[in-house]
Amino acid sequence: MPSTSDTHALTMLVRKLESIAILSDEERQAILNLPAKTRVLQPGQDIVHDGDKPSQCCLILKGWACRYKIIGEGKRQILSFHIAGDVPDLQSLHIHTMDHSLATLTEATVAFIPHDNLRELIAQHPGIAAAFWRDTLVDAAIFREWLIGMGRRSAYEHMAHLFCELYLKLQAVGLAGSYCCPLPITQVDLADALGLTNVHVNRVLKQMREQSLITLRGHTLVIEAWDELSQVSEFDPTYLHLEKRAAA
Amino acid sequence: MPSTSDTHALTMLVRKLESIAILSDEERQAILNLPAKTRVLQPGQDIVHDGDKPSQCCLILKGWACRYKIIGEGKRQILSFHIAGDVPDLQSLHIHTMDHSLATLTEATVAFIPHDNLRELIAQHPGIAAAFWRDTLVDAAIFREWLIGMGRRSAYEHMAHLFCELYLKLQAVGLAGSYCCPLPITQVDLADALGLTNVHVNRVLKQMREQSLITLRGHTLVIEAWDELSQVSEFDPTYLHLEKRAAA
DNA sequence: TGTAAAAATTGATCTGGGTTATGGCCGCCG
DNA sequence: CGGCGGCCATAACCCAGATCAATTTTTACA
């Protein structure tokens, strides 16, 4: 677990924010001037834990992470997936106690930025504050869509919907190919995200393979039939709010 | 549907914000100076609809409202409940297209405040901006908790958890009595929020009554055994982030 | 105060997804 | 290079909650 100061990491944050807002040169430079300490984490390692009161935020640079919570005798619910450019605990700036945990799913590189510096940044750059706020609102929109999937979609539809979502999110930050993208997680992870068991995830995946909607080779997802996949899950990308917009 | 200008409505907004942040006299006054148009709506009436691009936010003054989305052939998922003091479409300030609808559940009084005035307010008062941001973050925390309920709790646990949540939220704005609070919604509404059928909601309610956890008279919920209710649902109020805090 | 619609209740039956269990594959480490 | 642990796969059986179908109670309003 080496710990180094790495300003270059912040270009990932600039890229992410520019995917949802328009930044001025000055704003871009202010972000790049943030201090950041980069670390490499092993798969399955906690970054922040339920109940913590963090004094820094974490920026994912490489690999996948997830928010999750454990209830009962070890039942896990994954609340969101996170990829390069995400700041999954941005809410800790305004909500001081973590109500869930954050962990890596794969080996991952993450950068840590102190709250103090982020607060100063948003105090001096309202445009950046608006972009961050917007980012947390898109996050909430994704929670809502997951709620709909859990409550009112079948396992098959829900999973198809998730694949559509992940593909578009990865594409938006340049991490997807043509109808194919990395999916470096296990079936257990998928199950815990979808509110299913690993056994049933396996059954549904088999079905989707049989109907030639997808293939899953190693750790990459290939979408063989985007139209069908998005149709069976009634996928409407509006909720991802991917169009670039002026912050103010 | 009378339409009048009613500055007095804004004291509800001040009260709500003061339940999650500390406001200065100047900030309080700035909020009270907002323009607001008040209307009385019938139960089941849409306030904003999926796909709209609103130019104002709505503040609930009386009655209950909910966010919801319809999928498939009329399946409804309720995403959140809203009570007096809530601004359920605050996110429309930064996310321009609605990805869900907002409707009344009971007869309700709501006030409308133009985006332009809200934007000016938060531009001039960073403390208010922070309080609003925090409010949307608590919203997201509630979505996460609902996700956990849908994914990993039984119907019984999930419903018990919801009752604990609603009671505390109503209490926080002075709308609950001693272990009793209004619950002016139908079993169908409850089912659509919990991702169940009305039939099963009825059976679970019966069970909860039989075990003397609650009683449901008319439109008020009486919690007969708070400790048991919160225990069976592993209810931990942290995620509501109700403690009052300085915004900055 | 009658009466019609909305809401709650209950029973019978069915099914999507859970549970339990077992075996195969593959990569890693000793 | 052999054994062990993580992950994937599949089979057999089970159950929480869905579906379908009435019936009763409450509410709203003429």
Side-chain angles (χ1 to χ4, degrees), chain A residues 140 143-144 147, chain B residues 67 79 139-147:
Chain A
F143 292 141
R144 287 194 292 269
L147 266 181
Chain B
R67 290 170 166 145
L79 302 162
D139 225 58
I142 296 173
F143 292 142
R144 287 193 294 267
E145 203 60 37
W146 282 34
L147 266 181

Side-chain angles (χ1 to χ4, degrees), chain A residues 69 71-72 75-77 79 91 94-97 99-100 122 129-130 132-134 136-138 140-141 143-148 150-153 191-192 195-196 234 238-239 241 245 247, chain B residues 69 71-72 75-77 79 91 94-97 99-100 122 129-130 132-134 136-138 140-141 143-148 150-153 191-192 195-196 234 238-239 241 245 247:
Chain A
K69 191 158 171 171
I71 70 157
K75 281 176 288 182
R76 178 177 67 155
Q77 177 65 50
L79 302 161
Q91 89 275 345
H94 287 288
I95 284 191
H96 306 82
T97 305
D99 53 39
H100 61 274
I122 64 183
F132 276 144
W133 188 355
R134 181 170 151 91
T136 62
L137 291 170
V138 173
F143 292 141
R144 287 194 292 269
E145 202 61 36
W146 281 34
L147 266 181
I148 295 164
M150 296 264 212
R152 293 295 182 230
R153 285 194 243 267
D192 287 348
L196 300 169
E234 287 192 70
T238 306
Y239 75 100
H241 302 283
R245 281 212 175 243
Chain B
K69 189 156 171 171
I71 68 157
K75 281 177 289 184
R76 178 178 67 155
Q77 177 65 50
L79 302 162
Q91 88 275 345
H94 288 289
I95 284 191
H96 305 82
T97 306
D99 53 41
H100 60 275
I122 64 182
F132 275 146
W133 188 355
R134 180 170 152 90
T136 61
L137 290 171
V138 173
F143 292 142
R144 287 193 294 267
E145 203 60 37
W146 282 34
L147 266 181
I148 295 164
M150 296 264 213
R152 292 296 182 232
R153 285 195 241 266
D192 287 347
L196 301 169
E234 287 192 69
T238 306
Y239 75 100
H241 303 283
R245 282 211 175 242

Side-chain angles (χ1 to χ4, degrees), chain A residues 96-117:
Chain A
H96 306 82
T97 305
M98 289 294 292
D99 53 39
H100 61 274
S101 301
L102 182 59
T104 57
L105 288 167
T106 66
E107 182 179 288
T109 311
V110 305
F112 292 94
I113 308 169
H115 279 180
D116 291 344
N117 300 282

Side-chain angles (χ1 to χ4, degrees), chain B residues 3-20:
Chain B
S3 181
T4 64
S5 197
D6 180 5
T7 314
H8 198 60
L10 293 157
T11 58
M12 292 299 290
L13 181 54
V14 169
R15 184 211 285 184
K16 165 65 182 276
L17 287 182
E18 289 193 315
S19 84
I20 58 166

